[in-house]
Amino acid sequence: MQFEAFAHYARHESGRPESAYCFDALATSVDDVSPQLLEAYVEMFQKIEHRKVGSALKQSIQQGLWSPTDATEYMERFIAFASGTGVPS
Protein backbone atom coordinates (compact mmCIF):
# COMPACT_ATOMS: atom_id res chain seq x y z
CA MET A 1 0.00 0.00 0.00
CA GLN A 2 2.93 2.31 0.68
CA PHE A 3 4.11 2.12 -2.92
CA GLU A 4 0.56 2.60 -4.23
CA ALA A 5 0.22 5.77 -2.16
CA PHE A 6 3.48 7.13 -3.56
CA ALA A 7 2.37 6.25 -7.09
CA HIS A 8 -0.87 8.17 -6.54
CA TYR A 9 1.01 11.17 -5.15
CA ALA A 10 3.51 11.11 -8.01
CA ARG A 11 0.75 10.86 -10.58
CA HIS A 12 -1.51 13.58 -9.18
CA GLU A 13 0.41 15.86 -6.84
CA SER A 14 4.14 15.94 -7.35
CA GLY A 15 4.48 17.25 -10.87
CA ARG A 16 6.68 14.22 -11.68
CA PRO A 17 4.24 11.64 -13.01
CA GLU A 18 7.03 9.53 -14.54
CA SER A 19 8.03 8.33 -11.07
CA ALA A 20 4.50 6.95 -10.70
CA TYR A 21 5.42 4.16 -13.14
CA CYS A 22 8.28 3.09 -10.90
CA PHE A 23 6.11 3.08 -7.78
CA ASP A 24 3.44 1.13 -9.69
CA ALA A 25 6.06 -1.49 -10.58
CA LEU A 26 7.14 -1.69 -6.96
CA ALA A 27 3.55 -2.11 -5.78
CA THR A 28 2.75 -4.85 -8.27
CA SER A 29 5.92 -6.81 -7.48
CA VAL A 30 5.62 -6.96 -3.68
CA ASP A 31 4.03 -10.43 -3.86
CA ASP A 32 7.18 -11.66 -5.65
CA VAL A 33 9.48 -10.73 -2.74
CA SER A 34 10.82 -13.73 -0.85
CA PRO A 35 9.36 -14.18 2.65
CA GLN A 36 12.85 -13.89 4.15
CA LEU A 37 13.58 -10.59 2.43
CA LEU A 38 10.17 -9.20 3.33
CA GLU A 39 10.64 -10.19 6.97
CA ALA A 40 14.09 -8.55 7.08
CA TYR A 41 12.70 -5.39 5.45
CA VAL A 42 9.77 -5.12 7.87
CA GLU A 43 12.03 -5.74 10.86
CA MET A 44 14.44 -2.99 9.81
CA PHE A 45 11.68 -0.58 8.73
CA GLN A 46 10.14 -0.74 12.21
CA LYS A 47 13.19 1.04 13.64
CA ILE A 48 12.57 4.77 13.64
CA GLU A 49 16.08 5.68 12.47
CA HIS A 50 15.73 3.40 9.43
CA ARG A 51 12.55 5.12 8.26
CA LYS A 52 14.78 8.00 7.16
CA VAL A 53 16.48 5.57 4.78
CA GLY A 54 13.10 4.65 3.31
CA SER A 55 12.22 8.31 2.90
CA ALA A 56 15.52 9.03 1.18
CA LEU A 57 15.09 6.11 -1.23
CA LYS A 58 11.53 7.12 -2.11
CA GLN A 59 12.65 10.71 -2.59
CA SER A 60 15.41 9.58 -4.95
CA ILE A 61 12.77 7.75 -7.01
CA GLN A 62 10.51 10.81 -7.03
CA GLN A 63 13.41 12.97 -8.21
CA GLY A 64 14.29 10.52 -10.98
CA LEU A 65 17.70 9.69 -9.48
CA TRP A 66 16.99 5.97 -9.07
CA SER A 67 14.47 3.65 -10.66
CA PRO A 68 14.37 0.16 -9.14
CA THR A 69 12.79 -2.46 -11.36
CA ASP A 70 10.89 -4.23 -8.60
CA ALA A 71 10.18 -4.39 -4.87
CA THR A 72 12.97 -6.91 -4.32
CA GLU A 73 15.58 -4.46 -5.62
CA TYR A 74 14.08 -1.66 -3.51
CA MET A 75 14.05 -3.76 -0.32
CA GLU A 76 17.58 -5.06 -0.89
CA ARG A 77 18.87 -1.49 -1.23
CA PHE A 78 16.89 -0.38 1.82
CA ILE A 79 18.41 -3.19 3.91
CA ALA A 80 21.90 -2.43 2.60
CA PHE A 81 21.66 1.23 3.57
CA ALA A 82 19.87 0.61 6.87
CA SER A 83 22.49 -1.97 7.90
CA GLY A 84 25.36 0.29 6.84
CA THR A 85 26.58 -1.88 3.98
CA GLY A 86 25.06 0.24 1.21
CA VAL A 87 27.15 2.53 -0.91
CA PRO A 88 25.60 5.76 -2.20
CA SER A 89 25.22 5.83 -5.97
Side-chain angles (χ1 to χ4, degrees):
M1 291 187 336
Q2 180 185 112
F3 295 133
E4 290 169 345
F6 275 91
H8 177 80
Y9 176 80
R11 192 172 284 107
H12 301 289
E13 310 279 336
S14 74
R16 294 193 58 90
E18 59 278 353
S19 64
Y21 298 116
C22 183
F23 286 116
D24 284 335
L26 296 178
T28 60
S29 64
V30 168
D31 289 340
D32 299 331
V33 174
S34 74
Q36 298 84 3
L37 181 60
L38 185 58
E39 183 179 326
Y41 171 79
V42 169
E43 184 178 311
M44 294 194 102
F45 187 78
Q46 289 177 351
K47 297 178 181 173
I48 297 295
E49 68 273 17
H50 293 165
R51 291 187 186 178
K52 292 178 184 176
V53 171
S55 279
L57 290 176
K58 288 180 198 89
Q59 187 174 31
S60 71
I61 293 168
Q62 287 175 327
Q63 294 173 346
L65 302 174
W66 179 50
S67 187
T69 58
D70 58 26
T72 296
E73 181 182 349
Y74 175 89
M75 290 180 193
E76 287 172 343
R77 183 170 279 196
F78 173 87
I79 290 168
F81 278 99
S83 67
T85 61
V87 178
S89 56

